[in-house]
Every structure is written in C-alpha cells, then in structure tokens.
C-alpha cells in the first residue's frame, strides 16, 4: 500500500526522471484525486485532462511554456492514473 506522500516518476528519453508532485488532493466518491496547480492564482485558468494510459505528467512542457505566458495551469490524474487512487469497484 502506498503512503499519502508518494510521487510519480517517469523516465523520459532515458536521460532524467520527470517528477510531478501533486499540489493537493481532493476526494471524489471515495477516490483520492491528485491535482497539479501551477501559476498565479489570479491568472487566466487553463484546465488539462489527460487521455487513457496517460497522466498529468504528459503536460509538463505545456505547463512550463504557459506559465511563462502568465497562465494558471491545472491538471489532475484521473482515477487509477499517476498519483490518484483507484476508483472503488462499482456495484
């Protein structure tokens, strides 16, 4: 069982690890969801949602670029991806 304070590491191009540390977690229907919130709180918000078999880590380059252009970037790891927990089995 993973603890509350783990991180998700991806080896990118076999050069250096990409480490995405969630800024905070929210609970949704019993599942812990990792949220990544970068940029100034008052900046215009861009929300990122990844596809199947991906995670918020896939937006790293976009976050870096858009933050430099004064946008606030928010992404989450869907249940079962990245640092989010698995969704409970449906009944």
């Amino acid at each position: 069982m993973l603890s509350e304070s783990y991180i998700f590491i991806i080896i990118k191009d076999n050069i250096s690890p990409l480490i995405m540390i969630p800024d905070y977690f929210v609970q949704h229907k019993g599942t812990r969801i990792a949220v990544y919130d970068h940029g100034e709180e008052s900046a215009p918000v861009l929300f990122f949602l990844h596809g199947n078999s991906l995670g918020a880590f896939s937006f790293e380059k976009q976050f870096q670029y858009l933050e430099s252009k004064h946008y606030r970037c928010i992404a989450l790891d869907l249940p079962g991806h990245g640092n989010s927990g698995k969704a409970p089995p449906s009944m």
Side-chain angles (χ1 to χ4, degrees):
M1 179 106 183
L2 296 173
S3 71
E4 293 276 325
S5 60
Y6 65 94
I7 58 175
F8 188 69
I9 300 175
I10 296 295
I11 303 300
K12 191 174 183 181
D13 299 326
N14 295 324
I15 297 171
S16 62
L18 166 62
I19 301 173
M20 291 285 288
I21 300 172
D23 294 290
Y24 55 92
F25 293 90
V26 296
Q27 289 285 330
H28 178 70
K29 296 183 179 182
T31 303
R32 191 175 79 145
I33 305 295
V35 180
Y36 305 84
D37 188 344
H38 297 231
E40 295 295 322
E41 196 169 303
S42 61
V45 174
L46 298 173
F47 186 78
F48 295 78
L49 188 62
H50 67 80
N52 195 25
S53 300
L54 294 173
F57 63 84
S58 62
F59 302 118
E60 179 215 13
K61 298 277 188 210
Q62 291 87 342
F63 272 32
Q64 290 174 358
Y65 175 77
L66 292 165
E67 280 181 80
S68 74
K69 301 296 181 187
H70 309 288
Y71 285 96
R72 180 179 177 193
C73 300
I74 300 173
L76 53 84
D77 283 326
L78 293 173
H81 295 82
N83 286 307
S84 289
K86 288 184 178 181
S90 56
M91 296 183 177

